[in-house]
Amino acid sequence: MPIPTPFHSRTAALSVSHEWRDWSGYLSVARYAATHDAEYYAVRSGAGLLDVSPLFKYEITGPDAARLVDRIMTRDIAKCAVGQVMYSPWCDEDGQTIDDGTIQRFGPQHFRITAADPSLRWFQDVGYGLNAQIRDLSADLGALALQGPKSREILKQIVTQSDDSLDALKYYYLTPAKIDRIPVTITRTGYTGDLGYEIWVERRYAEKVYDSLYDTGRKYGLMPLGLVALDMLRIEAGLLLIDVDYIAATKADIESQKSTPYEIGLSWAVDLDGADFIGKPALQRELKHGSEWFFCGLEIDWPHLESLFATHNLPPKVLGMASRAAVPVYKDGYQVGQATSITFSPLLKKYIALATLKTQYAAFGDDVHLETTVEFSRQQARACVVKSSFFNPKRKREVLA
Amino acid sequence: MSPSTHYDVILIGGGHNGLVAAAYLAKAGRKVLLLEARSHLGGLAGTEELFPGFHAPVGHADAGLFSPQVIKDLRLESHGLAFHDVPAAVFAPQPDGRALTLWRDPARAKAEIARFSARDAERYPEYLRVTARLAAVLAATAAEIPPNIISPSLNDLFPWARVALKARRLGRADMMDFLRLLPMTAQEWLNEWFESPVVQAALGAHSVTGSMLGPQSSGSAYMLLYQQMGVPNAGYRSARFARGGVGAVIAALTRAAESHGVEILTDTPVARVLLENGRAVGVELADGDLLRAPVIVSNLDPRRTLFGLVGPQQLNPRLMRRVRNIRFKGSTSRLTLALSGLPKFKGAPDGHDHLTGYTLICPSLDYLEKAYDDAKYGRISANPALELHFPSLHDAALAPAGQHLVSITIQFTPYDLKGASWAKEGKRLTDLVIKTLDAYAPGFKSLVKHNHLRTPASLESDFAATEGGIMHGQMALDQWLIGRPVAGFARYATEIPGLFLCGAGTHPGGGLTGLPGRNAARAILKNRRS
């Protein structure tokens, strides 16, 4: 049975729907009201406040901490400055992706890593023989994502002290700060592809920080955000979800279910020039011989979809939320891959999907077909293969100071 | 040595398997450099002068398991190796003052057994025949490179057809016995044959030698068979003695290796194996010198090699975990005593013939299991099982005239002592052993002139044997054949290209067999394109 997060007293009180999901064993709000539309729009126009405490969090310290993190991650950690945050996948010995997360560098030998799955044993094994300590902070640390165009202004109202002014804090950097005299860490990160921050706080202060953010945020149109709206937002941003868009190597039933970072659109996060990391030789080979799959976005041709429904005298009907049921993608009548996340984007007014296709048979710019059910019959809606970042506003990275 | 010298192979560790592998590789035309950290070759199969004028074996006292194939291939007899027969296999004095001697002559042994059980005496000849047949199958597996079960090739599997043929020749009944016996306990197996606890103990005590197993542990029956793979068998473990002691085996191996051009450097400890792009390319000596060769072979145990010389950080976590999980669990200590004369055991026949094999203090397998019970919980056995060997009876040159040397293998003395440390327990253990022997041989204590104890802790520090495990990894079914040293790397190669293992930690395992060394050399010659 799922257990409450450090913010449960607050999220539970705000949830009118009482619709919960189990996220890594924690109670997470699916949507606060009967529908999630308002939450979705709040993130794109004002701000949303999401409890991300169920993420697994690990602290790595000690004389060999940097070596250990470098050995785990496919990114080159030498390039991660103190105060910087990096996103990176990590792989098994065969270069197959185990998980992905962020690395926060607090000091030359002091890191925090977020993970979707429990990772203590893996990190310890990779670090065997190194002088580094790994502490599981998952239960001790509350985390809130404050996302949306107004998030900076909201934070500026309540942050009393920070090393970096929030105006100057760059995308994927961190700063220690105080909210109501409570020490927190603020990272400029998130899972919505928008301007946004994540606030990391000791469990005992969690509720106070929540109150501060929520009360101030209300004036800026802030709404508490649940997982249903989040799913639409992250698809718009083209961000991967583990166990949906790729299967963790540790959980795959068969070899072919595993994916290398190259196959899930993360080639930019693989640095073969840096220090050795687990899976590097396999990825070097893959780079040389080419990948079997590539990750992309699909933009479904709406008029074509309309015409498929029209044959039944129906208006086009799509789910008002993201679908995580994988469906086949065809090209010239043959299946060339699958779409793993699909949503209608109310903001972009587009029906979009994240897909994995065979490199041998498809490429960016190609026309493909997505299996779509129209009045109980399987149809194929035309779609174009595009880059996965459908929504990528300037404000995401913009620095004011 | 000139640094420009080119070697095909650098071999780390001059134990017997290292010498065997070096000799085979050199015989096949490879230029081999062998590096030994200590001043003497032989490692655990070596001989050392512990007291002035007394030369004692470090570990193995006999060469009964030593592969006849290796002797033949390396022409060790022409390099001075000779064996001599002894009349006794094992002499087992009892607390009640009686004593059983298993003579190598089966008729004589049968008559001895009849003093304890007429029924057992009748069964003994058949027991010898059955165990010899079953041990021969095990010996056939020991002489082959374990198969690659993930992607087998015909070339690799062909030799195993010979093993299968041998197993088929056993006939259905013996074959069933073989398969049934492997995971059995030694005690249950011997219960099926014999009723006298004295006979059972005399035949079964060696099933746990060097292991952290009791005779009631699964897999001890397999070890019982393993110890009988050699010649001659005589029910107790295979034991034949080299003229001049076990040191003569090492001397012959050294001469054989050198005759094929192996260069040997003693007092040359290796600090680490050099890697370049994930490949072993040489070694760094403790004094900082670098030596390069395309093939590096280690006679050290797998963990010492892969963690100590290479470093866990160079291994993939999958292999690292397996190496970390190897069970070593040193359980034996060796007490060597200089004696002013031979002891007189209660119930012993006249003369010294009964002392020419092993002398066993282990009245029953229950006694042995209880000794193991203590060790299971981290204690030295309150009543340890002792196996004595008198090297000076075989070669008078090993001790000053009129004096004698006894090597005592003590079991169980766990590496991991609970609430105690080996630094402090040594004296107590020495006293316990001498006191125990004094009860079986009154006056024993007064014969003792010098004593030297080697504990699992000192075996580890002196011979680089992880946890003092003399087998370089517990001999158990899960660490056997394709699981030795670890699953996936049982074919002498490691995950690191260019780095191979040739020690007792590889198939077929511990004991003075020479087979890991021979198999490793064959695997290297097969794998290398050079």
Side-chain angles (χ1 to χ4, degrees):
Chain A
M1 213 184 68
I3 57 169
T5 75
F7 303 105
H8 185 78
S9 63
R10 302 304 189 263
T11 54
L14 289 167
S15 173
V16 178
S17 73
H18 301 295
E19 199 183 325
W20 298 93
R21 280 195 187 168
D22 179 335
W23 176 9
S24 297
Y26 286 96
L27 280 165
S28 283
V29 175
R31 45 165 85 80
Y32 282 85
T35 68
H36 53 272
D37 308 31
E39 295 171 24
Y40 165 84
Y41 281 112
V43 173
R44 293 297 183 222
S45 58
L49 187 60
L50 173 74
D51 177 3
V52 292
S53 307
L55 284 171
F56 291 88
K57 307 157 215 109
Y58 302 95
E59 184 162 70
I60 300 187
T61 53
D64 290 331
R67 271 183 69 192
L68 171 55
V69 177
D70 224 0
R71 189 159 192 253
I72 297 168
M73 301 295 169
T74 58
R75 295 283 293 276
D76 183 3
I77 299 307
K79 292 179 186 158
C80 183
V82 172
Q84 195 181 340
V85 184
M86 261 190 179
Y87 167 84
S88 180
W90 55 94
C91 297
D92 67 10
E93 297 89 342
D94 305 318
Q96 306 291 348
T97 315
I98 293 175
D99 201 344
D100 61 299
T102 58
I103 304 134
Q104 306 167 8
R105 189 166 200 169
F106 289 87
Q109 302 292 358
H110 181 190
F111 300 85
R112 273 187 200 162
I113 296 173
T114 65
D117 284 331
S119 308
L120 187 63
R121 180 180 183 238
W122 179 252
F123 292 169
Q124 282 177 337
D125 282 356
V126 174
Y128 188 79
L130 288 180
N131 188 357
Q133 290 73 49
I134 306 164
R135 210 150 67 90
D136 187 344
L137 299 179
S138 302
D140 307 333
L141 214 55
L144 287 171
L146 177 68
Q147 302 282 302
K150 302 284 189 210
S151 53
R152 175 161 30 213
E153 279 174 71
I154 296 169
L155 267 188
K156 278 161 79 175
Q157 303 307 309
I158 55 169
V159 167
T160 49
Q161 184 199 327
S162 101
D163 279 10
D164 266 302
S165 105
L166 286 168
D167 282 344
L169 186 66
K170 286 192 282 186
Y171 185 55
Y172 266 81
Y173 276 78
L174 66 83
T175 176
K178 281 198 172 148
I179 293 177
D180 273 353
R181 294 192 302 280
I182 295 165
V184 298
T185 301
I186 297 173
T187 56
R188 189 167 162 187
T189 49
Y191 196 49
T192 62
D194 216 309
L195 172 66
Y197 301 86
E198 285 169 311
I199 297 103
W200 311 82
V201 58
E202 269 183 65
R203 182 181 191 99
R204 57 186 163 150
Y205 302 128
E207 286 157 331
K208 250 184 120 177
V209 167
Y210 193 97
D211 293 343
S212 229
L213 279 163
Y214 186 76
D215 295 344
T216 309
R218 290 301 284 165
K219 293 168 220 149
Y220 295 84
L222 176 142
M223 292 196 75
L225 173 64
L227 297 181
V228 176
L230 178 73
D231 219 5
M232 298 169 69
L233 294 160
R234 66 100 190 164
I235 296 172
E236 287 177 345
L239 298 172
L240 286 168
L241 180 58
I242 191 169
D243 297 339
V244 173
D245 299 307
Y246 76 95
I247 296 174
T250 43
K251 289 186 242 168
D253 294 319
I254 48 174
E255 283 302 310
S256 63
Q257 288 178 344
K258 300 176 180 176
S259 305
T260 65
Y262 291 130
E263 295 177 323
I264 53 175
L266 298 179
S267 47
W268 63 272
V270 177
D271 196 333
L272 295 176
D273 300 325
D276 286 350
F277 57 84
I278 306 294
K280 185 175 176 181
L283 294 181
Q284 279 169 327
R285 281 194 296 276
E286 181 169 330
L287 189 66
K288 204 168 135 195
H289 299 297
S291 304
E292 193 182 352
W293 300 92
F294 74 105
F295 183 73
C296 61
L298 297 180
E299 207 175 300
I300 290 100
D301 181 339
W302 189 258
H304 185 246
L305 186 70
E306 235 170 15
S307 72
L308 294 177
F309 279 91
T311 58
H312 293 274
N313 288 325
L314 286 171
K317 207 159 70 178
V318 295
L319 205 58
M321 57 188 275
S323 164
R324 295 176 175 186
V327 295
V329 176
Y330 299 92
K331 193 180 163 212
D332 303 330
Y334 294 96
Q335 188 177 346
V336 295
Q338 57 278 338
T340 46
S341 294
I342 310 171
T343 191
F344 184 78
S345 164
L347 187 83
L348 304 170
K349 305 282 185 286
K350 279 177 185 170
Y351 195 40
I352 55 175
L354 302 179
T356 308
L357 306 180
K358 291 247 182 188
T359 45
Q360 200 181 340
Y361 302 113
F364 287 105
D366 280 0
D367 269 344
V368 292
H369 285 85
L370 179 74
E371 185 170 289
T372 311
T373 303
V374 178
E375 196 59 10
F376 313 117
S377 72
R378 287 182 190 175
Q379 302 293 329
Q380 293 184 9
R382 193 185 303 137
C384 186
V385 180
V386 298
K387 297 275 180 200
S388 62
S389 51
F390 300 97
F391 179 76
N392 190 11
K394 202 172 130 211
R395 63 181 182 247
K396 181 176 86 176
R397 293 170 169 275
E398 203 171 32
V399 182
L400 297 185
Chain B
M1 171 190 32
S2 115
S4 61
T5 311
H6 165 83
Y7 297 102
D8 297 318
V9 178
I10 294 175
L11 208 145
I12 306 163
H16 81 279
N17 280 310
L19 286 165
V20 169
Y24 270 97
L25 290 166
K27 192 177 164 218
R30 302 297 183 274
K31 182 134 184 61
V32 181
L33 173 68
L34 188 148
L35 304 170
E36 166 59 41
R38 295 170 62 89
S39 52
H40 297 289
L41 293 167
L44 291 169
T47 305
E48 51 189 350
E49 185 173 3
L50 290 175
F51 327 111
F54 291 87
H55 299 268
V58 174
H60 310 279
D62 73 71
L65 289 177
F66 200 73
S67 161
Q69 190 67 47
V70 173
I71 295 173
K72 187 168 157 247
D73 290 347
L74 299 180
R75 299 177 49 245
L76 294 183
E77 277 157 342
S78 76
H79 290 291
L81 182 62
F83 295 97
H84 66 103
D85 293 324
V86 295
V90 62
F91 165 68
Q94 301 298 314
D96 62 8
R98 297 188 297 167
L100 168 70
T101 312
L102 286 180
W103 302 102
R104 296 219 163 256
D105 172 2
R108 224 176 143 195
K110 191 176 162 186
E112 268 284 297
I113 293 172
R115 291 174 44 230
F116 290 82
S117 162
R119 183 173 162 268
D120 289 356
E122 284 310 309
R123 304 206 68 180
Y124 181 66
E126 176 64 6
Y127 174 79
L128 288 186
R129 274 193 293 277
V130 169
T131 50
R133 277 205 298 271
L134 300 182
V137 177
L138 198 60
T141 70
E144 300 300 339
I145 297 166
N148 179 349
I149 53 163
I150 307 295
S151 48
S153 79
L154 271 182
N155 265 348
D156 289 343
L157 287 179
F158 184 71
W160 285 89
R162 289 201 300 263
V163 176
L165 205 64
K166 193 156 223 159
R168 265 190 82 98
R169 279 201 215 110
L170 279 179
R172 182 173 299 205
D174 281 352
M175 188 64 203
M176 287 314 290
D177 263 340
F178 181 73
L179 293 176
R180 195 171 71 94
L181 181 146
L182 291 181
M184 264 180 100
T185 77
Q187 190 157 354
E188 281 163 351
W189 169 252
L190 288 163
N191 264 334
E192 292 179 358
W193 285 94
F194 303 106
E195 60 182 10
S196 160
V198 174
V199 174
Q200 288 182 356
L203 291 171
H206 63 270
S207 65
V208 298
T209 304
S211 295
M212 193 63 165
L213 291 176
Q216 293 176 20
S217 301
S218 180
S220 51
Y222 145 67
M223 278 310 289
L224 187 77
L225 215 52
Y226 187 88
Q227 299 280 13
Q228 296 177 64
M229 290 193 308
V231 284
N233 164 354
Y236 193 66
R237 72 147 153 257
S238 305
R240 62 173 174 172
F241 296 90
R243 280 193 197 284
V246 74
V249 178
I250 299 304
L253 276 172
T254 307
R255 281 193 287 273
E258 284 174 339
S259 77
H260 290 296
V262 175
E263 276 182 54
I264 297 174
L265 290 176
T266 52
D267 293 307
T268 311
V270 170
R272 63 189 184 97
V273 171
L274 294 176
L275 301 186
E276 270 172 23
N277 299 320
R279 205 194 147 81
V281 295
V283 297
E284 181 182 332
L285 302 182
D287 65 13
D289 275 1
L290 303 181
L291 296 170
R292 297 176 72 90
V295 173
I296 309 298
V297 187
S298 171
N299 188 191
L300 303 189
D301 73 55
R303 193 185 290 166
R304 194 52 83 118
T305 303
L306 291 168
F307 285 4
L309 294 182
V310 174
Q313 284 294 300
Q314 305 299 332
L315 310 178
N316 272 325
R318 195 184 290 146
L319 175 60
M320 185 285 294
R321 278 183 191 141
R322 289 176 189 165
V323 174
R324 192 179 56 190
N325 289 339
I326 297 173
R327 286 172 290 111
F328 290 91
K329 294 195 177 182
S331 62
T332 55
S333 295
R334 167 61 60 84
L335 179 64
T336 307
L337 303 175
L339 303 176
S340 55
L342 282 172
K344 175 82 184 121
F345 286 92
K346 289 186 203 163
D350 292 336
H352 299 138
D353 275 2
H354 59 288
L355 297 179
T356 54
Y358 287 96
T359 299
L360 182 69
I361 305 297
C362 177
S364 67
L365 292 177
D366 280 349
Y367 174 98
L368 187 58
E369 182 70 18
K370 281 177 190 149
Y372 171 60
D373 284 343
D374 285 332
K376 248 185 336 194
Y377 302 106
R379 298 186 297 266
I380 294 169
S381 305
N383 296 298
L386 307 176
E387 192 189 67
L388 288 67
H389 166 70
F390 296 88
S392 49
L393 270 182
H394 296 261
D395 188 338
L398 297 175
Q403 304 188 52
H404 282 281
L405 193 58
V406 62
S407 295
I408 307 166
T409 304
I410 311 162
Q411 208 143 355
F412 294 85
T413 64
Y415 173 80
D416 271 321
L417 288 177
K418 274 260 161 56
S421 84
W422 273 116
K424 290 183 185 155
E425 291 299 305
K427 172 83 174 73
R428 203 174 66 79
L429 179 60
T430 301
D431 292 346
L432 172 68
V433 171
I434 293 173
K435 196 178 131 216
T436 303
L437 288 170
D438 205 58
Y440 285 86
F444 183 91
K445 196 176 169 180
S446 62
L447 299 174
V448 178
K449 295 295 161 214
H450 306 283
N451 67 72
H452 176 271
L453 180 70
R454 192 160 263 131
T455 67
S458 56
L459 278 167
E460 183 177 57
S461 56
D462 295 351
F463 293 94
T466 301
E467 295 181 8
I470 54 174
M471 300 291 198
H472 279 195
Q474 171 100 253
M475 296 289 284
L477 288 176
D478 61 313
Q479 299 191 155
W480 175 61
L481 197 65
I482 57 165
R484 189 169 189 89
V486 296
F489 298 95
R491 291 159 57 78
Y492 309 93
T494 64
E495 182 180 66
I496 293 159
L499 178 65
F500 296 83
L501 299 171
C502 75
T506 59
H507 175 75
L512 183 60
T513 68
L515 289 172
R518 173 175 180 262
N519 290 351
R522 287 160 68 218
I524 292 162
L525 293 170
K526 252 189 205 177
N527 286 2
R528 285 288 303 168
R529 293 171 294 258
S530 67

